[in-house]
């Protein structure tokens, strides 16, 4: 069966890592029809919009997209093109598996944690009031009257909204993922002792949802304690479910545990649509150098293969990647001892060796 997938190269290093990934995915033997569309600065230049209608039409039609990182140009009225895209498509779950591979330089071994981050609410919903504006003044007056609390008049305001609905669906997503992937435990991360009505609600709802999944262990932890435990006892954790802000920070921490942004894949998933993309950004200073690591995007491609039910191809590709990094010779600079560029291969060449490894695997099997 041929899969039609929306392909968004992005900008900066995006086109290089996406092209490497496209070639590797095709080498698995799975058949793809790619529908190429632009987003962000490239789309603005070519089509006059950061998020053209064509982009939404393609993703809504195909339901699955592979995306490179996208820079949000300053002064375009967007906080982030990526956040706007996730919001418009209601991609409420950000899924970031963090797994150690032998050969990837890291202080830690055997890390295997799935981060499930809520993507639409919390302090990242973008509900903000600038210091000194009439709206901020009004809100501050209301707060000082209703809270019996002195608030500084020269404050800027960002609102933290966490809903029952948003928490219920992200927690269900985490538990359903656990069941579908043979995982044993879900840990809810919060700061409910301080933020009783936002994180407190998050904790209450996660507990309610957990009670309907008796086959999966559940626990909760304060986010500060989690950070300390992650760097000392990462093997305690299996699936983490977090509100948006903690999820953003903790997923980068977990990426650091397994070797950094160059190897951290991700996906943004809604009820019907999924967009697969690396955790890292467009790293503008490396644009066009054929230097950065394509693995974060290739491993996002592995996640995509599993999502579209091409599990055997996903397993073969992940095994080929694991062998290449374990051998440690044909890898990009960030995976070489001392981050040595002189002995590293480029983005495109790393894709080539993975493709060769895949074909060797195929001949072994035949
Ligand atoms: P970044 O992730 O682009 O780069 C930070 C550093 O991480 C780089 O300088 C590099 O040292 C390292 N790095 C990143 N990707 C790598 C790779 N594939 N291989 C090896 N090393 C890699 O973060 P930034 O500099 O904060 O952001 C740059 C731009 O990207 C910003 O405009 C930001 O808004 C955007 N961004 C986009 C996304 C997205 O599209 N989903 C995500 C994050 C940031």
């Amino acid at each position: 069966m041929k899969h039609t997938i929306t392909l968004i190269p992005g900008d900066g290093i995006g086109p290089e890592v996406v092209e490497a990934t496209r070639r590797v995915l095709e080498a698995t033997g799975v058949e793809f029809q790619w529908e190429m569309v632009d987003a962000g600065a490239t789309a603005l230049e070519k089509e006059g919009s950061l998020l053209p209608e064509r982009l939404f039409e393609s993703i809504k039609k195909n339901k699955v997209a592979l995306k490179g990182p996208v820079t949000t140009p300053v002064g375009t009225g967007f906080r982030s093109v990526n956040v706007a895209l996730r919001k418009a498509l209601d991609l409420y779950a950000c899924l970031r598996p963090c797994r150690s591979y032998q050969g990837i330089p890291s202080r830690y071994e055997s890390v295997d944690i799935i981060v499930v981050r809520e993507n639409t609410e919390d302090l990242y919903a973008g509900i903000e009031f600038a210091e000194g504006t009439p709206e901020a003044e009004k809100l501050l007056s209301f707060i000082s009257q209703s809270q019996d609390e002195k608030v500084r008049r020269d404050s800027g305001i960002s609102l933290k909204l966490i809903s029952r609905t948003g928490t219920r669906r992200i927690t269900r997503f985490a538990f359903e993922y656990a069941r579908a992937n043979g995982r044993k435990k879900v840990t809810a991360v919060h700061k409910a002792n301080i933020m009783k009505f936002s994180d407190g609600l998050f904790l209450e709802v996660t507990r309610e949802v957990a009670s309907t999944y008796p086959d999966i262990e559940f626990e909760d932890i304060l986010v500060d304690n989690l950070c300390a435990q992650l760097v000392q006892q990462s093997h305690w954790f299996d699936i983490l479910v977090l509100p948006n802000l903690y999820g953003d920070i903790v997923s980068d921490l977990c990426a650091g545990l397994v070797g950094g942004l160059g190897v951290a894949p991700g996906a943004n998933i809604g009820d019907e649509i999924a967009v697969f993309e690396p955790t890292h950004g467009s790293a503008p200073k490396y644009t066009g150098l054929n230097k950065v690591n394509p693995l974060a995007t290739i491993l996002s491609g592995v996640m995509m293969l599993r999502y579209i039910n091409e599990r055997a191809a996903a397993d073969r590709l992940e095994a080929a990647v694991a062998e290449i990094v374990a051998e440690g010779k044909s890898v990009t600079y960030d995976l070489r001892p001392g981050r040595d560029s002189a002995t590293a291969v480029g983005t495109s060449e790393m894709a080539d060796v993975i493709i060769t490894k895949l074909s060797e695997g195929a001949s072994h099997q035949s």
Side-chain angles (χ1 to χ4, degrees), residues 47 49 51-58 60:
E47 306 185 36
S49 164
L51 290 170
E53 201 40 49
R54 205 162 69 81
L55 171 74
F56 291 111
E57 278 166 15
S58 174
K60 283 181 184 162

Side-chain angles (χ1 to χ4, degrees), residues 10-11 13 17 67-74 79-83 86 96 248 252 260-264 268 277-286 291-297 332-335 339 347:
D11 52 59
I13 57 169
V17 291
K67 174 182 167 296
V70 164
T71 309
T72 303
V74 181
R79 277 186 182 79
S80 159
V81 173
N82 300 296
V83 173
R86 289 167 206 162
R96 288 182 174 167
D248 192 9
D252 273 28
L261 286 174
V263 295
N268 293 293
E277 61 176 330
T279 297
H280 64 72
S282 54
K285 68 178 179 192
Y286 293 105
K291 177 164 180 164
V292 296
N293 194 336
L295 281 192
T297 315
T332 46
Y333 76 100
D334 55 316
L335 303 187
R339 299 172 77 81
T347 311

Side-chain angles (χ1 to χ4, degrees), residues 235-356:
H235 59 277
W236 279 359
F237 301 102
D238 187 348
I239 295 182
L240 303 175
V241 61
L242 314 91
N244 209 337
L245 171 66
Y246 308 147
D248 192 9
I249 298 167
V250 168
S251 55
D252 273 28
L253 191 163
C254 289
L257 295 179
V258 298
L261 286 174
V263 295
N268 293 293
I269 303 179
D271 284 332
E272 291 193 346
I273 293 173
V275 176
F276 295 84
E277 61 176 330
T279 297
H280 64 72
S282 54
K285 68 178 179 192
Y286 293 105
T287 304
L289 299 182
N290 188 37
K291 177 164 180 164
V292 296
N293 194 336
L295 281 192
T297 315
I298 291 174
L299 291 171
S300 304
V302 169
M303 293 171 73
M304 185 184 85
L305 286 172
R306 296 206 167 103
Y307 184 86
I308 61 175
N309 240 342
E310 296 285 0
R311 288 183 170 258
D315 292 346
R316 276 193 295 117
L317 176 52
E318 192 175 12
V321 166
E323 277 187 51
I324 298 293
V325 295
E327 287 163 14
K329 283 182 289 193
S330 306
V331 291
T332 46
Y333 76 100
D334 55 316
L335 303 187
R336 291 292 304 161
R339 299 172 77 81
D340 178 19
S341 295
T343 59
V345 301
T347 311
S348 175
E349 291 68 34
M350 189 152 171
D352 292 339
V353 290
I354 295 171
I355 291 168
T356 306

Side-chain angles (χ1 to χ4, degrees), residues 92-341:
Y92 60 85
C94 178
L95 183 62
R96 288 182 174 167
C98 298
R99 191 191 142 186
S100 304
Y101 289 91
Q102 195 202 333
I104 292 187
S106 166
R107 288 170 189 273
Y108 299 90
E109 283 172 8
S110 312
V111 177
D112 184 8
I113 296 171
I114 307 287
V115 178
V116 176
R117 162 189 171 193
E118 204 288 327
N119 239 350
T120 62
E121 302 198 320
D122 196 1
L123 280 161
Y124 281 25
I127 307 171
E128 298 196 285
F129 302 91
E131 180 234 327
T133 57
E135 293 80 10
E137 292 284 331
K138 210 165 148 187
L139 201 47
L140 290 168
S141 303
F142 170 74
I143 294 167
S144 42
Q145 280 160 23
S146 63
Q147 293 277 314
D148 206 19
E149 190 79 40
K150 275 211 170 11
V151 285
R152 295 201 175 99
R153 289 291 160 164
D154 56 353
S155 300
I157 306 168
S158 302
L159 290 186
K160 172 165 170 131
L161 272 73
I162 290 193
S163 72
R164 250 178 220 287
T165 311
T167 306
R168 201 175 286 129
R169 68 179 182 173
I170 195 66
T171 312
R172 280 193 188 136
F173 181 95
F175 276 96
E176 289 298 326
Y177 184 91
R179 268 190 186 162
N181 293 279
R183 311 289 298 213
K184 303 275 179 283
K185 182 167 77 174
V186 172
T187 303
V189 183
H190 60 88
K191 193 76 186 164
N193 55 334
I194 308 289
M195 285 166 279
K196 297 193 186 305
F197 302 128
S198 50
D199 284 27
L201 184 67
F202 183 83
L203 179 59
E204 180 193 322
V205 175
T206 53
R207 282 180 174 153
E208 269 169 32
V209 173
S211 69
T212 64
Y213 291 87
D215 49 320
I216 309 287
E217 193 186 336
F218 174 75
E219 62 182 20
D220 70 274
I221 188 167
L222 295 174
V223 65
D224 40 357
N225 185 18
L226 170 79
C227 291
Q229 300 304 338
L230 274 175
V231 294
Q232 291 191 304
Q233 317 279 2
S234 65
H235 59 277
W236 279 359
F237 301 102
D238 187 348
I239 295 182
L240 303 175
V241 61
L242 314 91
N244 209 337
L245 171 66
Y246 308 147
D248 192 9
I249 298 167
V250 168
S251 55
D252 273 28
L253 191 163
C254 289
L257 295 179
V258 298
L261 286 174
V263 295
N268 293 293
I269 303 179
D271 284 332
E272 291 193 346
I273 293 173
V275 176
F276 295 84
E277 61 176 330
T279 297
H280 64 72
S282 54
K285 68 178 179 192
Y286 293 105
T287 304
L289 299 182
N290 188 37
K291 177 164 180 164
V292 296
N293 194 336
L295 281 192
T297 315
I298 291 174
L299 291 171
S300 304
V302 169
M303 293 171 73
M304 185 184 85
L305 286 172
R306 296 206 167 103
Y307 184 86
I308 61 175
N309 240 342
E310 296 285 0
R311 288 183 170 258
D315 292 346
R316 276 193 295 117
L317 176 52
E318 192 175 12
V321 166
E323 277 187 51
I324 298 293
V325 295
E327 287 163 14
K329 283 182 289 193
S330 306
V331 291
T332 46
Y333 76 100
D334 55 316
L335 303 187
R336 291 292 304 161
R339 299 172 77 81
D340 178 19
S341 295

